[in-house]
């Protein structure tokens, strides 16, 4: 059995694998390429892109690359290599900006209820949290890919873990978005998922697809 992997997907898979291997050998790469808050002294412009090619552990990269291959291959075959690559990078960059925008909000969540705490101390905590915050992973860009897939191919049936029957993409992907909405606005201790990056990537992906497809609408139902 041979897997037909489109050229851009193949390159992205290789780049992510090489970057992950490099991280295991040179840990400083993670700090250099991770996305930091734009007001942090650790922020560098290249991080808006480099964070997409770095991952925290083997499970992280495995599931991201599996989703990229599953959904991205269909989109690249549908759009062509150049258009798909542009789409993927724009979704990842959009996800990065949305996540950076929400970092002060996440700092407030991390602080928790603080009645009676002087505002100066709150501001200092938010500033320190924002300065050390960092994010890695292709998930934001991949959520854009998944959202685009659900919009363009809504009736594609998918099998989900522990669900014994196929479910259409137009139902599966929105559930992922709802999970991120809930996770982002009710973050629990120990949750290190970039929920707002996921939401940003999905939003950018949908917006791009709507603009691209405005003269060639498909029936969502």
């Amino acid at each position: 059995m041979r897997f037909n992997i489109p050229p851009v997907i193949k390159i992205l898979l290789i780049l992510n694998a090489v970057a992950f291997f490099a991280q295991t050998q040179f840990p400083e790469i993670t700090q250099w390429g991770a996305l930091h808050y734009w007001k942090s002294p650790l922020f560098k412009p290249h991080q808006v892109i480099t964070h997409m090619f770095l991952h925290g552990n083997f499970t992280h990269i495995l599931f991201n690359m599996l989703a990229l291959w599953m959904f991205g291959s269909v989109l690249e075959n549908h759009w062509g290599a150049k258009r798909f690559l542009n789409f993927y990078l724009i979704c990842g960059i959009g996800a990065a900006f949305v996540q950076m925008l929400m970092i002060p909000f996440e700092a407030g969540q991390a602080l928790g209820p603080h009645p009676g705490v002087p505002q100066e101390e709150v501001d200092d905590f938010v500033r320190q949290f924002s300065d050390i915050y960092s994010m890695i992973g292709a998930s934001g860009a991949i959520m854009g890919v998944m959202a685009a897939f659900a919009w363009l191919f809504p009736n594609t049936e998918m099998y989900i873990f522990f669900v014994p029957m196929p479910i259409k993409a137009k139902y599966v992907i929105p559930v992922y978005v709802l999970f991120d909405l809930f996770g982002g606005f009710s973050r629990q201790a120990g949750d290190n998922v970039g929920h707002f990056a996921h939401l940003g990537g999905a939003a950018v992906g949908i917006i791009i697809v709507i603009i691209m497809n405005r003269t060639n609408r498909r029936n969502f139902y």
Side-chain angles (χ1 to χ4, degrees):
M1 181 178 179
R2 295 182 62 186
F3 292 100
N4 180 23
I5 304 178
V8 169
I9 296 296
K10 187 181 298 184
I11 292 171
L12 289 174
L13 293 176
I14 293 172
L15 286 176
N16 278 274
V18 170
F20 182 68
F21 176 77
Q23 285 178 264
T24 65
Q25 304 302 309
F26 307 99
E28 60 271 19
I29 290 176
T30 302
Q31 180 76 352
W32 172 83
L35 180 70
H36 292 83
Y37 189 46
W38 64 64
K39 292 183 179 180
S40 168
L42 299 174
F43 174 75
K44 299 292 185 295
H46 66 261
Q47 295 167 359
V48 174
I49 293 178
T50 54
H51 81 279
M52 288 187 269
F53 297 92
L54 304 175
H55 291 85
N57 54 51
F58 181 75
T59 302
H60 190 197
I61 187 173
L62 176 63
F63 281 99
N64 272 352
M65 295 304 99
L66 182 61
L68 176 60
W69 167 67
M70 288 175 58
F71 300 103
S73 295
V74 177
L75 292 184
E76 184 176 345
N77 288 330
H78 181 67
W79 284 333
K82 182 179 179 180
R83 179 171 290 186
F84 174 77
L85 178 60
N86 289 337
F87 174 84
Y88 181 82
L89 293 176
I90 291 171
C91 285
I93 293 170
F97 279 107
V98 171
Q99 184 63 41
M100 284 196 291
L101 182 67
M102 298 302 293
I103 288 173
F105 173 77
E106 292 193 352
Q109 287 182 306
L111 178 61
H114 46 272
V117 178
Q119 186 60 42
E120 298 79 21
E121 293 185 21
V122 173
D123 293 341
D124 187 56
F125 177 86
V126 170
R127 183 169 54 254
Q128 291 182 38
F129 180 98
S130 301
D131 282 347
I132 65 174
Y133 181 93
S134 65
M135 181 186 76
I136 55 177
S139 304
I142 292 171
M143 276 297 293
V145 169
M146 293 171 66
F149 179 90
W151 185 272
L152 293 172
F153 307 100
N155 294 312
T156 300
E157 294 186 334
M158 305 168 56
Y159 284 92
I160 307 300
F161 291 120
F162 309 117
V163 179
M165 63 186 69
I167 305 175
K168 293 182 178 179
K170 64 185 178 185
Y171 302 128
V172 174
I173 308 306
V175 168
Y176 280 101
V177 173
L178 289 175
F179 277 136
D180 279 314
L181 275 172
F182 177 79
F185 287 100
S186 59
R187 181 177 294 274
Q188 302 298 314
D191 183 354
N192 62 352
V193 177
H195 295 290
F196 292 112
H198 295 179
L199 293 169
V204 171
I206 286 294
I207 291 170
I208 293 174
V209 169
I210 291 174
I211 293 173
M212 289 170 54
N213 226 40
R214 63 185 181 276
T215 58
N216 181 32
R217 301 189 180 195
R218 293 174 180 265
N219 188 346
F220 185 73
Y221 301 98

